[in-house]
Structure formats: C-alpha cells, structure tokens
Amino acid sequence: AVMGSKNLKAIAVRGSGRKEIAEPKALNAVAKWLSDSYTETWLKGLRQDGTANGVYQHLIKGLPTKNFQQGTFEGGWEEITGTRMTETILIDRDNCYACPVHCKRVVEVEDDQHSVDPTYGGPEYETIGAFGSSCGVNDLKAIAKANELCNAYGLDTISAGVTIAWAMECYDRGLLTSADTGGIELNFGSADAMVQMVELIAKREGFGDLLAEGSYHAAQEIGRGTGQYVMHAKGQEVPMHEPRVKFALGVGYAVSPTGADHMHNIHDVEYDTAEKIAGMHPYGILEPLKYNDLSTEKMHLAATVIARSTLDNVLGFCMFVSGVFDPDHLVEMVRSITGWDTNLYELLRAGERGYIMARAFNAREGFTAADDKLPERFFQAYTEDPSEDNVLPQAEFDQARKDFYSILGWDHETAAPTEWKLRELGLGWVAEAIR
C-alpha cells in the first residue's frame, strides 16, 4: 500500500554472491533422490498435465461451479481438464529453478477471438476453476486469455474469477442489470463477458472499477441483497476446493488468518485411507479419517497438517515437492543447508509459530471468533444433484472450530492465541504486543 501510494511499480534486485551450504554432499544426496525418484510418485502426473487435472474433482462433486451453487460442471468439465489442455493449446512445460518436475504450463493460442501469448505461461487449476467452472465457462482458450491478462496486469486469478462469478450470479438473479455493468451481458457461460471483465477490472474502467475492490467490498457498495452470494472468508474469495466434500478444509478456511486459503490448509480426501495416512505416522497420527469427519481427532489432524503446510511457507518450499519427501528428507535438507542440529518436532513447531503469529496479528487488529465463519451456502445443498452427504453441518462445524481453538491454545471468544500458548512457543513478546 505504501509503495502504491508513492507510485512505485517495482524494486529490481540482482544477487552476485553464492550462499554457502553447510553440508553440500548431504544436500546433493537429497536432490539426487528427488531427481531419480519423482517419476515414481504423483509428481509424474503433475509434469504430464499440470495442476489443471484438479478439474477431475467434478467426479466427487467437488468442482466449484456457477459461484459454488453446484459441485459438478455437467457438459463442460471435460473441455477444461489438464488432459484437454495438453492435447490442444499446450506448447511447453516450464519449471522453477532446477526443479525436474516442470509442472508449469506454457500455452499459445493464435486466433482472432482469443490470442494468447506463451510469455505468460498457462492456467493452473485454480485459474481454470475460477474463470471456467465457477463462471460456467467451458472455453479453454478464453480461460487461457483471462490467465494471460491477469499475469500481464498482476491480478490474482482466484479473486478475479470468483468476483466475476459472483457478479454473474447477481446478474442471473436480477440483482444486477446491464445498466450496472455498462451494457455487458454478464451471463454464466459467457466467455467473452468474462474476458472483458478481467480487462475492465485491471484498468479500473466502467463496472470493472467496482469489481476491482473484490466481491465483498463491491457487494457492500451495491447492496440489494448481493452480499449473500459473496463467497469469501474474511473478505478473501474462496479458492476452488469445496468444503462440502472436504469438511475440515471448511474449518481451515474459516480460521485462516489470511482469509479463505487452500494452501496452509488440510484437504480431507488426502487422508481417508490407510495408505494415504501413512505419511502422517511420523507425526503420531495413525488412523485414516473420512472427508466428512469433524471429530476432535480430525481437528488434531487438521492442526498438524496446517502447521506442516505453514512450515513450507516458512522454509520457502514448494508444497508439491515437499509432499513426496518423507520427514527425514525434510530434516536432512534443513540440517545440510543451515548446519542446525534440528529435528522434526522443532520444525513442526516453527510452522505452528508462524501460523499463530499471523493469528496474533489479527487479534491485535480487532478480529475475533465472530470473523471465523463461512458463507451460508456451504451449509446448504447444491442446487443440482443435492445430497445430504454434501452439506457441511452447521452444529458440527461450530464444535469443530472450538476444538481447533482448544488444540492450538486459542481463546474461544477472542480466537486469539492465549498468553500461555505464546510463551510456550517462545513468543512472550507477542503476548505483550497484543495485550
């Protein structure tokens, strides 16, 4: 915000030195293991078709469609999968420095309607869900164009896409008209309108000037009952993962210090079998738990997974690659790079410390347990193909959130980390700062 107020566009930095590694041979051994072994893991599929194969969540009713009204995108989902991208507009695969996986997409489209420059890469799953199924759009070229525009202008594709999807639902319900949108027919399924709105948002022109504030603030400005269709937590638009098929994920959205976030979160379907839960055995979690479980045991699993995910952020580590390393690899990397004689327990505590410090910041700024909530839609059935199995139960959700607070040592009313918990983590100064 300060940079923006000064019209500062960027800071360019180039390094000339080389970071010393405490134990290069040990680090190289871990790197070689990844290079030799990643094709035997799910990273092989990530290389082939990218994250875009997350679209297959349609098959478990977990693909956000038409602003989260539905969990399936009938007649459209197969047109926007990673497989379809590979077969049609993909021209290359890119990578982060030195990574053998090459999961990034590079696409190119050459036609009069939606030409796409490969300089801007290609759409990931979140982008495809936000501009595709959530907007009812099954045109992969148009989605790739929206991705190109967001990358060129510096827009978040999740918030941009979900904001447009919200506007489309309001238009569909008659709460917005063409008089509001500047003549644009914001109908679900209109690829042209979707792409046009991305451009207007980036340039803050016409109706795009209001949507540039995000769906939460736009709804507050418009009124007319539009707020009930905003899909957000703490003002941040919900990513492309359904709490009605990942129940603990919904709790994670609600309690996240940064608003709805799928990265430092638990994805329930990854822990529902004996084979999948095996990766959590080193953390003392032995039994699988189903996607719709909101027990205290599930909240313990969620708290552990969230601390582990936050650790990736603390370390600056890719969550995909991190997911195939066992804990011994992780500890060995930190030891070999830094020279610290650390262990898994200490690293997990570092992740928890980072997460709790963010919550302490929220508490200092006035957030309470009342802000840890989800849109009402997630406690209701889908508009199409409804099922009792795909409704997040409100009472169980409320209790699970309290259990989560208790497990992490947060106050039930303020939702702030308690002083004893902060001091336990060596953060007594934080307790003083938020007192």
Side-chain angles (χ1 to χ4, degrees), residues 37-55:
S37 308
Y38 85 90
T39 56
E40 305 302 318
T41 73
W42 64 275
L43 293 178
K44 180 179 180 181
L46 196 63
R47 178 189 179 99
Q48 173 62 29
D49 292 322
T51 63
N53 269 351
V55 171

PDB file of all heavy atoms in Angstrom, residues 37-55:
ATOM      1  N   SER A  37      13.698 -40.206  -8.344  1.00  0.00           N
ATOM      2  CA  SER A  37      12.509 -40.888  -7.833  1.00  0.00           C
ATOM      3  C   SER A  37      11.178 -40.217  -8.129  1.00  0.00           C
ATOM      4  O   SER A  37      10.127 -40.841  -7.952  1.00  0.00           O
ATOM      5  CB  SER A  37      12.646 -41.060  -6.304  1.00  0.00           C
ATOM      6  OG  SER A  37      13.853 -41.658  -5.949  1.00  0.00           O
ATOM      7  N   TYR A  38      11.190 -38.966  -8.570  1.00  0.00           N
ATOM      8  CA  TYR A  38       9.913 -38.251  -8.663  1.00  0.00           C
ATOM      9  C   TYR A  38       8.944 -38.886  -9.652  1.00  0.00           C
ATOM     10  O   TYR A  38       7.721 -38.801  -9.493  1.00  0.00           O
ATOM     11  CB  TYR A  38      10.150 -36.772  -9.003  1.00  0.00           C
ATOM     12  CG  TYR A  38      10.300 -36.483 -10.471  1.00  0.00           C
ATOM     13  CD1 TYR A  38       9.193 -36.170 -11.262  1.00  0.00           C
ATOM     14  CD2 TYR A  38      11.540 -36.526 -11.087  1.00  0.00           C
ATOM     15  CE1 TYR A  38       9.317 -35.907 -12.615  1.00  0.00           C
ATOM     16  CE2 TYR A  38      11.679 -36.258 -12.437  1.00  0.00           C
ATOM     17  CZ  TYR A  38      10.567 -35.954 -13.199  1.00  0.00           C
ATOM     18  OH  TYR A  38      10.694 -35.700 -14.534  1.00  0.00           O
ATOM     19  N   THR A  39       9.473 -39.571 -10.672  1.00  0.00           N
ATOM     20  CA  THR A  39       8.577 -40.189 -11.661  1.00  0.00           C
ATOM     21  C   THR A  39       7.825 -41.385 -11.076  1.00  0.00           C
ATOM     22  O   THR A  39       6.874 -41.873 -11.685  1.00  0.00           O
ATOM     23  CB  THR A  39       9.355 -40.641 -12.898  1.00  0.00           C
ATOM     24  OG1 THR A  39      10.409 -41.525 -12.502  1.00  0.00           O
ATOM     25  CG2 THR A  39       9.938 -39.442 -13.640  1.00  0.00           C
ATOM     26  N   GLU A  40       8.249 -41.850  -9.909  1.00  0.00           N
ATOM     27  CA  GLU A  40       7.547 -42.949  -9.247  1.00  0.00           C
ATOM     28  C   GLU A  40       6.463 -42.427  -8.304  1.00  0.00           C
ATOM     29  O   GLU A  40       5.812 -43.216  -7.621  1.00  0.00           O
ATOM     30  CB  GLU A  40       8.542 -43.804  -8.454  1.00  0.00           C
ATOM     31  CG  GLU A  40       9.700 -44.338  -9.282  1.00  0.00           C
ATOM     32  CD  GLU A  40       9.220 -45.182 -10.449  1.00  0.00           C
ATOM     33  OE1 GLU A  40       8.283 -45.993 -10.247  1.00  0.00           O
ATOM     34  OE2 GLU A  40       9.771 -45.029 -11.559  1.00  0.00           O
ATOM     35  N   THR A  41       6.293 -41.131  -8.248  1.00  0.00           N
ATOM     36  CA  THR A  41       5.299 -40.507  -7.382  1.00  0.00           C
ATOM     37  C   THR A  41       4.243 -39.817  -8.225  1.00  0.00           C
ATOM     38  O   THR A  41       4.310 -39.805  -9.458  1.00  0.00           O
ATOM     39  CB  THR A  41       5.957 -39.481  -6.445  1.00  0.00           C
ATOM     40  OG1 THR A  41       6.333 -38.313  -7.201  1.00  0.00           O
ATOM     41  CG2 THR A  41       7.198 -40.065  -5.766  1.00  0.00           C
ATOM     42  N   TRP A  42       3.276 -39.178  -7.537  1.00  0.00           N
ATOM     43  CA  TRP A  42       2.220 -38.462  -8.252  1.00  0.00           C
ATOM     44  C   TRP A  42       2.749 -37.234  -8.992  1.00  0.00           C
ATOM     45  O   TRP A  42       2.037 -36.644  -9.808  1.00  0.00           O
ATOM     46  CB  TRP A  42       1.107 -38.068  -7.293  1.00  0.00           C
ATOM     47  CG  TRP A  42       1.525 -37.104  -6.221  1.00  0.00           C
ATOM     48  CD1 TRP A  42       2.098 -37.397  -5.032  1.00  0.00           C
ATOM     49  CD2 TRP A  42       1.385 -35.680  -6.250  1.00  0.00           C
ATOM     50  NE1 TRP A  42       2.349 -36.249  -4.307  1.00  0.00           N
ATOM     51  CE2 TRP A  42       1.915 -35.188  -5.036  1.00  0.00           C
ATOM     52  CE3 TRP A  42       0.867 -34.783  -7.174  1.00  0.00           C
ATOM     53  CZ2 TRP A  42       1.948 -33.834  -4.732  1.00  0.00           C
ATOM     54  CZ3 TRP A  42       0.896 -33.430  -6.869  1.00  0.00           C
ATOM     55  CH2 TRP A  42       1.434 -32.955  -5.661  1.00  0.00           C
ATOM     56  N   LEU A  43       4.014 -36.853  -8.734  1.00  0.00           N
ATOM     57  CA  LEU A  43       4.594 -35.722  -9.459  1.00  0.00           C
ATOM     58  C   LEU A  43       4.716 -36.018 -10.956  1.00  0.00           C
ATOM     59  O   LEU A  43       4.768 -35.093 -11.769  1.00  0.00           O
ATOM     60  CB  LEU A  43       5.964 -35.378  -8.889  1.00  0.00           C
ATOM     61  CG  LEU A  43       5.991 -34.811  -7.461  1.00  0.00           C
ATOM     62  CD1 LEU A  43       7.426 -34.561  -7.023  1.00  0.00           C
ATOM     63  CD2 LEU A  43       5.175 -33.528  -7.366  1.00  0.00           C
ATOM     64  N   LYS A  44       4.741 -37.294 -11.321  1.00  0.00           N
ATOM     65  CA  LYS A  44       4.807 -37.659 -12.735  1.00  0.00           C
ATOM     66  C   LYS A  44       3.562 -37.129 -13.464  1.00  0.00           C
ATOM     67  O   LYS A  44       3.655 -36.565 -14.563  1.00  0.00           O
ATOM     68  CB  LYS A  44       4.906 -39.170 -12.897  1.00  0.00           C
ATOM     69  CG  LYS A  44       4.969 -39.632 -14.339  1.00  0.00           C
ATOM     70  CD  LYS A  44       5.095 -41.149 -14.444  1.00  0.00           C
ATOM     71  CE  LYS A  44       5.161 -41.596 -15.897  1.00  0.00           C
ATOM     72  NZ  LYS A  44       5.268 -43.086 -15.996  1.00  0.00           N
ATOM     73  N   GLY A  45       2.393 -37.308 -12.850  1.00  0.00           N
ATOM     74  CA  GLY A  45       1.164 -36.796 -13.456  1.00  0.00           C
ATOM     75  C   GLY A  45       1.136 -35.284 -13.462  1.00  0.00           C
ATOM     76  O   GLY A  45       0.576 -34.656 -14.379  1.00  0.00           O
ATOM     77  N   LEU A  46       1.754 -34.674 -12.444  1.00  0.00           N
ATOM     78  CA  LEU A  46       1.815 -33.221 -12.378  1.00  0.00           C
ATOM     79  C   LEU A  46       2.647 -32.683 -13.537  1.00  0.00           C
ATOM     80  O   LEU A  46       2.343 -31.635 -14.107  1.00  0.00           O
ATOM     81  CB  LEU A  46       2.415 -32.793 -11.041  1.00  0.00           C
ATOM     82  CG  LEU A  46       2.221 -31.345 -10.614  1.00  0.00           C
ATOM     83  CD1 LEU A  46       0.747 -31.022 -10.424  1.00  0.00           C
ATOM     84  CD2 LEU A  46       2.978 -31.073  -9.322  1.00  0.00           C
ATOM     85  N   ARG A  47       3.693 -33.384 -13.889  1.00  0.00           N
ATOM     86  CA  ARG A  47       4.510 -32.993 -15.036  1.00  0.00           C
ATOM     87  C   ARG A  47       3.713 -33.137 -16.337  1.00  0.00           C
ATOM     88  O   ARG A  47       3.756 -32.276 -17.204  1.00  0.00           O
ATOM     89  CB  ARG A  47       5.777 -33.842 -15.100  1.00  0.00           C
ATOM     90  CG  ARG A  47       6.667 -33.535 -16.303  1.00  0.00           C
ATOM     91  CD  ARG A  47       7.793 -34.549 -16.436  1.00  0.00           C
ATOM     92  NE  ARG A  47       8.628 -34.259 -17.596  1.00  0.00           N
ATOM     93  CZ  ARG A  47       9.787 -33.618 -17.539  1.00  0.00           C
ATOM     94  NH1 ARG A  47      10.252 -33.186 -16.388  1.00  0.00           N
ATOM     95  NH2 ARG A  47      10.485 -33.411 -18.638  1.00  0.00           N
ATOM     96  N   GLN A  48       2.968 -34.224 -16.447  1.00  0.00           N
ATOM     97  CA  GLN A  48       2.264 -34.502 -17.682  1.00  0.00           C
ATOM     98  C   GLN A  48       1.155 -33.496 -17.965  1.00  0.00           C
ATOM     99  O   GLN A  48       1.122 -32.878 -19.032  1.00  0.00           O
ATOM    100  CB  GLN A  48       1.671 -35.916 -17.635  1.00  0.00           C
ATOM    101  CG  GLN A  48       0.770 -36.272 -18.808  1.00  0.00           C
ATOM    102  CD  GLN A  48       1.480 -36.256 -20.150  1.00  0.00           C
ATOM    103  OE1 GLN A  48       2.687 -36.497 -20.224  1.00  0.00           O
ATOM    104  NE2 GLN A  48       0.738 -35.961 -21.218  1.00  0.00           N
ATOM    105  N   ASP A  49       0.259 -33.306 -17.003  1.00  0.00           N
ATOM    106  CA  ASP A  49      -0.924 -32.480 -17.262  1.00  0.00           C
ATOM    107  C   ASP A  49      -1.083 -31.297 -16.308  1.00  0.00           C
ATOM    108  O   ASP A  49      -2.075 -30.574 -16.376  1.00  0.00           O
ATOM    109  CB  ASP A  49      -2.186 -33.341 -17.200  1.00  0.00           C
ATOM    110  CG  ASP A  49      -2.248 -34.329 -18.353  1.00  0.00           C
ATOM    111  OD1 ASP A  49      -1.851 -33.968 -19.478  1.00  0.00           O
ATOM    112  OD2 ASP A  49      -2.684 -35.480 -18.134  1.00  0.00           O
ATOM    113  N   GLY A  50      -0.134 -31.111 -15.400  1.00  0.00           N
ATOM    114  CA  GLY A  50      -0.176 -29.950 -14.519  1.00  0.00           C
ATOM    115  C   GLY A  50      -1.246 -30.033 -13.454  1.00  0.00           C
ATOM    116  O   GLY A  50      -1.955 -31.036 -13.316  1.00  0.00           O
ATOM    117  N   THR A  51      -1.383 -28.960 -12.696  1.00  0.00           N
ATOM    118  CA  THR A  51      -2.397 -28.909 -11.639  1.00  0.00           C
ATOM    119  C   THR A  51      -3.801 -28.892 -12.206  1.00  0.00           C
ATOM    120  O   THR A  51      -4.773 -29.118 -11.477  1.00  0.00           O
ATOM    121  CB  THR A  51      -2.209 -27.666 -10.760  1.00  0.00           C
ATOM    122  OG1 THR A  51      -2.392 -26.484 -11.559  1.00  0.00           O
ATOM    123  CG2 THR A  51      -0.838 -27.640 -10.115  1.00  0.00           C
ATOM    124  N   ALA A  52      -3.922 -28.610 -13.493  1.00  0.00           N
ATOM    125  CA  ALA A  52      -5.246 -28.477 -14.114  1.00  0.00           C
ATOM    126  C   ALA A  52      -6.084 -29.736 -13.999  1.00  0.00           C
ATOM    127  O   ALA A  52      -7.313 -29.681 -14.146  1.00  0.00           O
ATOM    128  CB  ALA A  52      -5.103 -28.079 -15.588  1.00  0.00           C
ATOM    129  N   ASN A  53      -5.462 -30.870 -13.718  1.00  0.00           N
ATOM    130  CA  ASN A  53      -6.259 -32.086 -13.552  1.00  0.00           C
ATOM    131  C   ASN A  53      -7.046 -32.085 -12.253  1.00  0.00           C
ATOM    132  O   ASN A  53      -7.782 -33.023 -11.958  1.00  0.00           O
ATOM    133  CB  ASN A  53      -5.385 -33.333 -13.667  1.00  0.00           C
ATOM    134  CG  ASN A  53      -5.332 -33.833 -15.104  1.00  0.00           C
ATOM    135  OD1 ASN A  53      -6.070 -33.356 -15.964  1.00  0.00           O
ATOM    136  ND2 ASN A  53      -4.469 -34.785 -15.373  1.00  0.00           N
ATOM    137  N   GLY A  54      -6.898 -31.024 -11.461  1.00  0.00           N
ATOM    138  CA  GLY A  54      -7.786 -30.831 -10.329  1.00  0.00           C
ATOM    139  C   GLY A  54      -9.235 -30.708 -10.759  1.00  0.00           C
ATOM    140  O   GLY A  54     -10.151 -30.877  -9.950  1.00  0.00           O
ATOM    141  N   VAL A  55      -9.455 -30.416 -12.039  1.00  0.00           N
ATOM    142  CA  VAL A  55     -10.817 -30.343 -12.581  1.00  0.00           C
ATOM    143  C   VAL A  55     -11.556 -31.657 -12.373  1.00  0.00           C
ATOM    144  O   VAL A  55     -12.791 -31.684 -12.300  1.00  0.00           O
ATOM    145  CB  VAL A  55     -10.773 -29.959 -14.079  1.00  0.00           C
ATOM    146  CG1 VAL A  55     -12.148 -30.085 -14.732  1.00  0.00           C
ATOM    147  CG2 VAL A  55     -10.253 -28.527 -14.239  1.00  0.00           C
TER     148      VAL A  55
END
